[in-house]
């Protein structure tokens, strides 16, 4: 999964729902750890601004 950092508003919603804790906020934007992400899509489903895509 990838975050469009121009769109992300840094709300942190995705950080809280990721089942493998692969997402953190870095400089106010979501940052996905590509090593641990399992591509479940949960974060993309909850992002209020659709900043996350496969
Ligand atoms: Fe950014 Fe969307 Fe994650 Fe909120 S849910 S921190 S807007 S990527």
């Amino acid at each position: 999964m990838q975050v469009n950092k121009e769109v992300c508003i840094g709300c942190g919603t995705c950080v809280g729902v990721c089942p493998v804790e692969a997402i953190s906020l870095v400089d106010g934007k979501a940052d996905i750890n590509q090593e641990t992400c399992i591509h479940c899509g949960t974060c993309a489903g909850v992002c209020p601004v659709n900043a996350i895509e496969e």
Side-chain angles (χ1 to χ4, degrees):
M1 311 300 293
Q2 301 288 340
V3 176
N4 182 335
K5 297 196 177 186
E6 309 220 330
V7 175
C8 173
I9 56 174
C11 68
T13 304
C14 56
V15 176
V17 300
C18 177
V20 293
E21 298 182 5
I23 314 177
S24 56
L25 288 182
V26 176
D27 294 332
K29 305 287 182 175
D31 188 80
I32 301 178
N33 183 335
Q34 301 300 324
E35 301 293 316
T36 54
C37 173
I38 58 171
H39 303 272
C40 64
T42 304
C43 53
V46 299
C47 177
V49 294
N50 291 322
I52 308 176
E53 48 198 38
E54 184 66 54

